[in-house]
Amino acid sequence: MKDYWNNLTARERLMLGVMAALLAVVALWLGIIRPLEAARESAARDHAAAVVLYESVATSAAEMRALYAEGRDAKAKAGDEPLRVVVAVAARTAGVSISRIQPGEDGTLTIWADDVTSPALYGWLTALASERQITPVKVSLQKAGNGQQLRAQIQFSEAS
């Protein structure tokens, strides 16, 4: 190899040197610089997408925390009153006269109403179901007196 190089003219040596330098520059450009630039551009795109995703998740998390706090506050307000108080207040509002309230040991609450009209009774039960999500577990109705009035025994459960 040394003999080959020594047998070349100065001009040939210069041309081979320039060619080797150009090959080194092209190899450097194609093998190192372009892949690094592509990786940098890809990382910039990934970063921008991650920032957008993070902002979306952060916004959704803030909305979720606000909704959770709102629901917790509403549940706490609804849960502040015992079942018997909620049922009795709703009965008074609907015009249903409660004659007796008996809480059970198993978390049930039994209400007796004498001489109540069916529209008032059904309005009361509908209001409890729609406004407080309280539905009766058991209902017993009988005609009272002249047939216009009802006698009702209604059982509610704490879990309902």
Side-chain angles (χ1 to χ4, degrees):
M1 185 79 162
K2 212 176 202 186
D3 289 335
Y4 176 74
W5 184 259
N6 288 334
N7 289 334
L8 295 177
T9 64
R11 181 175 176 221
E12 290 173 333
R13 287 183 199 157
L14 178 67
M15 285 185 354
L16 282 175
V18 169
M19 184 184 72
L22 285 175
L23 275 175
V25 168
V26 168
L28 180 71
W29 177 258
L30 293 177
I32 296 174
I33 295 173
R34 281 189 62 190
L36 286 176
E37 284 180 349
R40 184 180 53 83
E41 290 171 3
S42 175
R45 282 191 307 270
D46 291 347
H47 178 263
V51 167
V52 169
L53 179 62
Y54 171 77
E55 290 171 354
S56 172
V57 168
T59 302
S60 296
E63 290 173 1
M64 188 262 327
R65 280 191 297 274
L67 288 173
Y68 177 74
E70 197 175 287
R72 187 181 56 219
D73 291 344
K75 186 176 181 182
K77 287 177 186 174
D80 286 345
E81 298 174 320
L83 178 63
R84 61 185 164 82
V85 173
V86 172
V87 170
V89 169
R92 188 177 332 120
T93 303
V96 175
S97 176
I98 295 176
S99 59
R100 186 171 146 206
I101 297 177
Q102 179 180 359
E105 291 180 13
D106 57 350
T108 59
L109 178 72
T110 305
I111 304 285
W112 284 267
D114 297 330
D115 298 327
V116 63
T117 63
S118 59
L121 179 69
Y122 293 129
W124 170 49
L125 293 176
T126 303
L128 279 174
S130 64
E131 295 170 10
R132 297 292 196 136
Q133 288 73 41
I134 298 173
T135 56
V137 176
K138 188 160 116 179
V139 176
S140 174
L141 299 175
Q142 296 175 351
K143 286 185 181 181
N146 63 5
Q148 298 294 325
Q149 302 291 325
L150 297 174
R151 183 175 296 126
Q153 179 182 351
I154 304 166
Q155 187 177 51
F156 298 95
S157 175
E158 289 281 347
S160 64

